[in-house]
Amino acid sequence: MTTTVRTRVAIVGAGPAGLILSHLLADAGIESIVVDSRSREQIESTIRAGILEQNTADLLRAIDPDTRVDTVGHRHDGIELHFGGEGHRIDFPALVGRSVWLYPQHEVLKDLLALRLGAAQDLRLGVTVEGVEDDGSGHPAVLALDADGSPLRIEADFVVGADGSRSVVRPFVTGSRGGGYFREYPFAWFGILCEAPPSSDELIYSNSEHGFALISQRSPDVQRMYFQCDPATDPATLGDAEIWEALQVRVPGTTLTEGPIIQRDVLRFRSFVAHELRRDRVALVGDAAHTVPPTGAKGMNLAIADVVLLADALRALLVSGDERLIDGYAERALDRIWKAQHYSWWMTSMLHVALDASDFDRRRQLGELHSVVSSESGRAYLAEGYTGWPLPVG
Ligand code: DHB
């Protein structure tokens, strides 16, 4: 027996994008149902990046009086770019009058789940979406299996795929599983979480002859660090001593504070933009629509920027019957998506050392890094993208 429920917007995915969208819609009096295949515990413990652009931090404060972005999170006014044996600080407020916040995604998710559940959001976890149906009648439906395995049909006025890079909604929008512009990279990141206080006040992005390393943080007692590795690396094959050695040689001049390694993983790099972001009354946001390589931490910020645009468009469509913004959603979102694709590609290619790099390639890359740090316009370009371009309004 299929259970059928009705709502105005069916949102697939309870990540930052799906939860923020449900909030912005509720603010406009539009009811939604959010479904996700994961449990609350799984959602709250998924380790992702930790940098919020200024806009993202501002939005969290505006929607959630209890956000911990300023208490558990910390403002960061700069980063260090390290290369050729020297560190160069990029001072964000001095260059662009903006900052970023170090506030890990799983903490953002704890806040957002508490916010939405506190507002009695219809949030269904453990629900596996199997497909989307849209016969052009203006009433698409999500077909799913409920947490107990029984068939569930959610009929809506609009369906949003906020269900990540393995999106189930995407093939419906693009017509195929791939369905996009795609690029792979010849390197990956070996990432660790370790129990030790930060090695430096600000994040260090280091280009060294041994490859790239990023020294980041999670909390006063936990650090997140990454070093460039072969995408085929099995995280279980490296011992702790080898990991510390690999990190330490890539950040000469900084003594890393070591501690027990509590998690290790290999992150593959991809750039992807779906060919279509909307088909009739079904749209994609966040990783369902695009993926960026992690250098520069644009992923979650970009997802939230999509949501701000889509919420405006859905408000116009579902409250006033005005289709103009939804018709322009893909074009407007793609503007920022391609800028962020370029920025993430640029930071990645400028900071990583390709295995087959020639002496020319290496010297050119150092020339590029010098040209960025030695010019105020170069530093401002980096700072502007890192702290985030202004969100489109209305
Ligand atoms: C982190 C990840 C990034 O990709 C980045 O650019 C900065 C920080 C992080 O996980 O802390």
Side-chain angles (χ1 to χ4, degrees):
M1 274 290 287
T2 301
T3 306
T4 300
V5 289
R6 251 212 71 74
T7 186
R8 299 218 71 194
V9 181
I11 301 172
V12 183
L19 292 171
I20 291 179
L21 181 62
S22 75
H23 182 93
L24 297 176
L25 292 175
D27 257 3
I30 303 168
E31 171 226 19
S32 65
I33 294 179
V34 180
V35 295
D36 199 295
S37 58
R38 297 168 296 170
S39 66
R40 183 169 181 179
E41 211 268 320
Q42 283 171 320
I43 294 173
E44 290 184 343
S45 61
T46 306
I47 300 294
R48 291 279 180 86
I51 293 289
L52 306 186
E53 294 174 1
Q54 169 125 12
N55 304 307
T56 306
D58 289 346
L59 180 72
L60 294 181
R61 281 186 213 103
I63 65 174
D64 181 5
D66 297 325
T67 179
R68 296 166 303 143
V69 65
D70 295 301
T71 50
V72 173
H74 293 282
R75 194 182 81 222
H76 278 230
D77 285 341
I79 55 167
E80 180 176 312
L81 276 194
H82 198 283
F83 60 91
E86 259 185 84
H88 304 264
R89 182 163 190 260
I90 309 292
D91 181 335
F92 300 148
L95 290 159
V96 291
R98 298 160 78 78
S99 296
V100 295
W101 273 256
L102 187 110
Y103 189 46
Q105 180 165 329
H106 64 274
E107 300 291 353
V108 173
L109 281 165
K110 285 183 202 164
D111 289 352
L112 290 173
L113 282 166
L115 175 75
R116 296 312 301 142
L117 290 170
Q121 170 68 41
D122 187 339
L123 170 66
R124 302 177 185 216
L125 301 177
V127 172
T128 310
V129 172
E130 302 203 302
V132 175
E133 224 178 65
D134 188 0
D135 60 4
S137 64
H139 299 290
V142 169
L143 313 178
L145 291 180
D146 219 334
D148 64 6
S150 60
L152 173 68
R153 178 182 171 88
I154 307 172
E155 295 183 348
D157 296 331
F158 207 95
V159 170
V160 178
D163 52 343
S165 55
R166 295 198 197 94
S167 173
V168 179
V169 180
R170 187 199 302 138
F172 179 82
V173 173
T174 62
S176 70
R177 262 215 84 71
Y181 305 95
F182 183 68
R183 184 182 208 284
E184 271 199 282
Y185 295 78
F187 27 74
W189 280 359
F190 194 105
I192 62 160
L193 280 177
C194 75
E195 283 172 345
S199 299
S200 97
D201 289 344
E202 294 181 342
L203 271 56
I204 303 174
Y205 289 79
S206 181
N207 167 295
S208 81
E209 62 195 287
H210 304 282
F212 173 73
L214 169 58
I215 308 304
S216 181
Q217 314 161 7
R218 278 293 172 274
S219 71
D221 330 292
V222 176
Q223 299 181 93
R224 179 75 163 144
M225 303 183 186
Y226 306 94
F227 62 91
Q228 176 183 341
C229 70
D230 187 310
T233 307
D234 172 356
T237 55
L238 284 195
D240 289 15
E242 276 174 288
I243 294 173
W244 287 115
E245 163 76 14
L247 283 162
Q248 187 63 71
V249 292
R250 288 166 170 78
V251 286
T254 299
T255 306
L256 297 176
T257 46
E258 298 187 12
I261 296 175
I262 51 175
Q263 190 185 306
R264 54 183 73 200
D265 45 16
V266 169
L267 277 80
R268 302 192 65 150
F269 279 37
R270 293 206 165 85
S271 297
F272 171 79
V273 180
H275 284 147
E276 316 289 339
L277 301 193
R278 181 180 75 102
R279 179 169 148 192
D280 295 332
R281 287 196 167 219
V282 183
L284 303 175
V285 291
D287 282 2
H290 44 74
T291 309
V292 290
T295 330
K298 284 277 151 276
M300 173 170 51
N301 295 290
L302 192 55
I304 292 172
D306 292 346
V307 159
V308 169
L309 279 179
L310 187 62
D312 277 350
L314 290 179
R315 210 178 292 128
L317 178 72
L318 301 176
V319 177
S320 323
D322 180 347
E323 296 188 353
R324 280 173 301 180
L325 285 180
I326 198 68
D327 285 344
Y329 163 68
E331 198 183 326
R332 294 182 77 209
L334 284 166
D335 224 40
R336 188 185 191 89
I337 291 166
W338 280 111
K339 276 163 73 169
Q341 283 294 353
H342 170 68
Y343 189 82
S344 307
W345 170 89
W346 174 64
M347 288 284 277
T348 299
S349 62
M350 179 167 69
L351 288 162
H352 291 70
V353 180
L355 277 180
D356 61 353
S358 66
D359 283 350
F360 174 88
D361 297 335
R362 189 69 194 117
R363 281 160 200 261
R364 184 211 59 77
Q365 190 180 48
L366 291 169
E368 181 178 13
L369 282 158
H370 271 295
S371 75
V372 170
V373 301
S374 63
S375 128
E376 180 162 339
S377 327
R379 293 193 303 276
Y381 176 77
L382 191 146
E384 189 183 27
Y386 198 93
T387 57
W389 309 285
L391 288 174
V393 205

